[in-house]
Amino acid sequence: MNKTLRLILVWTLISLPLQGGTYFFLNNQVQKVMAPTVASEPITLLLKATIPSSSLTNVQISYAKDYLAYMENGTFKVFNLTKGKIVFEKKSPSENDQSYGVLSYQWLPDRNTLLYFYAKKNPDPITYVTVYPPKATPQTPVEPTPVEPKTEDPNQKIVVEVPKVVPKEVPVAPRVEKRYGNPQITELYTLELPNSDEDIAPDDRFNQTIDNFPAGGTIETCVVSTSTNLMYLTVKNELTELLMEIDVMKNVRTLSKSGETIDNMAASDRYGTLYLDSKVGSTHEVIALDGTKRQIISKNINDRILGIRDGNVYIGEVENNQLVKIKTTTDLATLSSNPSLKTEWEGTIPFDNNVRTLIGAKGQMIVYDHQTAFIVTAGQLAEVKLHGDENYVSVDGAELIQLTKNGTSTLAELQPLKS
């Protein structure tokens, strides 16, 4: 008996570490699927590829730097830089109306996944509905009720109460009503791409239809908070400008104020808070928006939101088309109005409507156009000359994409961006 107990105890002690190791391995695998981790160092490549087009616009590179998304004459395309071929394209449903087709697209920052909006004409913008009137309620006849005499006088007449006559309802014929819907159908898709060395077709998945998207609207800005699965976009047409939020449950709501103009915005990578440049009339403010709750970050008319990275909100002070100061405040879960702003850098950088800004993975501020990149790192400014016909920087600030036109094609050259 003692020998059997000792044997069971020994095997129990041996199996416990094995079970723990197995559970640890499985847990790590599940975590990798549910919440992909971002590499501590950005991915950089040295690569050249020839793209069969000379009219690329809105060029965006994927997280792993191996796919390039762009528009070409109204057609949305994704190019595999490793294999040197187009792996996905989606044409506009109309050759004449530029408001249809792919409106906007955005790579997710931690995987080869791309979100895009697609608009097409609603084939049934007007519908006819038959409206039936309420059914007439049949009236039940009421018998007269005799009233007993109040005395014993045999000559007293019996009074009979006569019920009121209720007229019967006259049935009304059904009528046909015209209903007006949105003349445009706007859809959100997710494009999942495999590893660039695999011969697997991309997975193009329909997500949802956005019913309240204004017809003819263009998406000015689109930002995504992957930690909270919130997407924000500013949509503008001839009549109005809207700030829309889409959550993971596919709920869509409008967050902008009446008459509000939004110049730029950035979403918190931790809490999903939206920071934006808000202008209503002559009032310009930097606002933090958490749901419908608003907090004023800065009332300085010259302040602009530049971006968010690793818990820091970057605000630039712009005077006469020059960035003269970079300030930061902490990205907090609970916000309060008028937080303290810390000055990180002072100087002058050209800052007009042609420049693009981003915060690199190492906290460097990058302001660039197609000729020059200005990089502020730890308070020090460096100027980098760019040599392509068109130049783009990846969202992590690590990779430079130089595009040079060559006849009917474009040479794309990728290299690390160094200050």
Side-chain angles (χ1 to χ4, degrees), residues 237-397:
N237 64 7
E238 295 178 353
L239 302 176
T240 185
E241 179 174 342
L242 301 177
L243 171 61
M244 306 178 75
E245 177 195 78
I246 306 174
D247 64 23
V248 68
M249 301 304 293
K250 301 183 179 181
N251 298 312
V252 182
R253 60 176 175 171
T254 301
L255 302 176
S256 50
K257 290 183 176 181
S258 177
E260 182 177 38
T261 299
I262 297 171
D263 294 329
N264 194 26
M265 60 184 185
S268 167
D269 50 3
R270 295 185 175 184
Y271 310 112
T273 307
L274 184 67
Y275 295 84
L276 53 93
D277 296 332
S278 170
K279 185 178 180 181
V280 180
S282 60
T283 302
H284 177 97
E285 298 171 331
V286 179
I287 298 292
L289 188 59
D290 184 8
T292 57
K293 185 178 181 180
R294 292 181 171 227
Q295 300 286 359
I296 298 174
I297 302 301
S298 173
K299 290 185 177 181
N300 188 336
I301 194 171
N302 296 319
D303 280 356
R304 304 288 184 271
I305 185 71
L306 297 177
I308 303 172
R309 175 77 71 167
D310 295 334
N312 291 313
V313 181
Y314 292 79
I315 296 171
E317 191 169 326
V318 180
E319 297 178 357
N320 300 319
N321 290 332
Q322 296 284 326
L323 178 64
V324 298
K325 189 180 294 185
I326 297 175
K327 300 173 280 190
T328 61
T329 189
T330 305
D331 180 24
L332 300 174
T334 303
L335 297 170
S336 59
S337 291
N338 302 310
S340 60
L341 301 178
K342 177 184 177 183
T343 299
E344 304 285 352
W345 171 85
E346 290 186 78
T348 56
I349 296 175
F351 201 89
D352 56 22
N353 293 331
N354 297 319
V355 301
R356 294 179 289 275
T357 63
L358 59 91
I359 315 298
K362 296 183 179 180
Q364 72 273 32
M365 167 62 63
I366 302 174
V367 180
Y368 74 100
D369 56 20
H370 288 306
Q371 289 77 43
T372 310
F374 297 91
I375 306 174
V376 178
T377 307
Q380 301 298 314
L381 174 64
E383 182 177 337
V384 180
K385 294 298 181 182
L386 308 178
H387 303 291
D389 294 334
E390 296 181 7
N391 299 276
Y392 300 88
V393 179
S394 59
V395 293
D396 56 15

Side-chain angles (χ1 to χ4, degrees), residues 25-217:
F25 173 77
L26 292 175
N27 182 65
N28 281 344
Q29 296 304 309
V30 171
Q31 287 296 323
K32 288 179 180 179
V33 174
M34 298 300 293
T37 56
V38 180
S40 57
E41 287 295 324
I43 299 170
T44 55
L45 298 177
L46 285 171
L47 186 149
K48 292 183 179 181
T50 300
I51 302 173
S53 173
S54 60
S55 56
L56 282 62
T57 58
N58 194 13
V59 175
Q60 297 183 30
I61 195 166
S62 64
Y63 161 73
K65 316 298 193 306
D66 48 4
Y67 288 102
L68 209 64
Y70 59 92
M71 295 293 294
E72 180 190 359
N73 300 323
T75 299
F76 172 59
K77 297 184 178 183
V78 179
F79 186 84
N80 185 323
L81 291 164
T82 302
K83 290 185 173 291
K85 64 178 183 180
I86 296 172
V87 294
F88 180 81
E89 63 179 276
K90 194 155 188 174
K91 296 182 178 180
S92 171
S94 173
E95 295 182 358
N96 302 320
D97 196 336
Q98 297 182 353
S99 63
Y100 295 138
V102 173
L103 303 179
S104 179
Y105 45 93
Q106 180 80 43
W107 288 103
L108 293 183
D110 56 357
R111 68 205 81 164
N112 278 345
T113 302
L114 190 146
L115 303 173
Y116 71 90
F117 294 86
Y118 185 79
K120 58 186 178 182
K121 185 178 181 180
N122 187 349
D124 300 309
I126 300 176
T127 57
Y128 296 89
V129 179
T130 301
V131 179
Y132 294 92
K135 292 183 179 180
T137 304
Q139 302 297 316
T140 303
V142 180
E143 296 295 332
T145 304
V147 178
E148 295 293 335
K150 295 181 180 180
T151 65
E152 295 182 355
D153 185 357
N155 296 322
Q156 182 178 358
K157 296 180 179 180
I158 298 177
V159 179
V160 178
E161 288 187 358
V162 180
K164 294 181 180 180
V165 178
V166 180
K168 294 184 178 181
E169 295 184 11
V170 179
V172 181
R175 67 184 186 277
V176 176
E177 289 186 357
K178 184 185 291 188
R179 304 285 173 86
Y180 295 90
N182 195 329
Q184 174 177 306
I185 297 175
T186 307
E187 300 169 331
L188 174 61
Y189 286 82
T190 301
L191 185 66
E192 298 272 359
L193 292 122
N195 292 331
S196 56
D197 57 353
E198 298 177 339
D199 291 319
I200 302 174
D203 183 12
D204 185 28
R205 289 181 293 176
F206 167 78
N207 278 352
Q208 68 183 101
T209 299
I210 305 174
D211 296 323
N212 54 343
F213 192 99

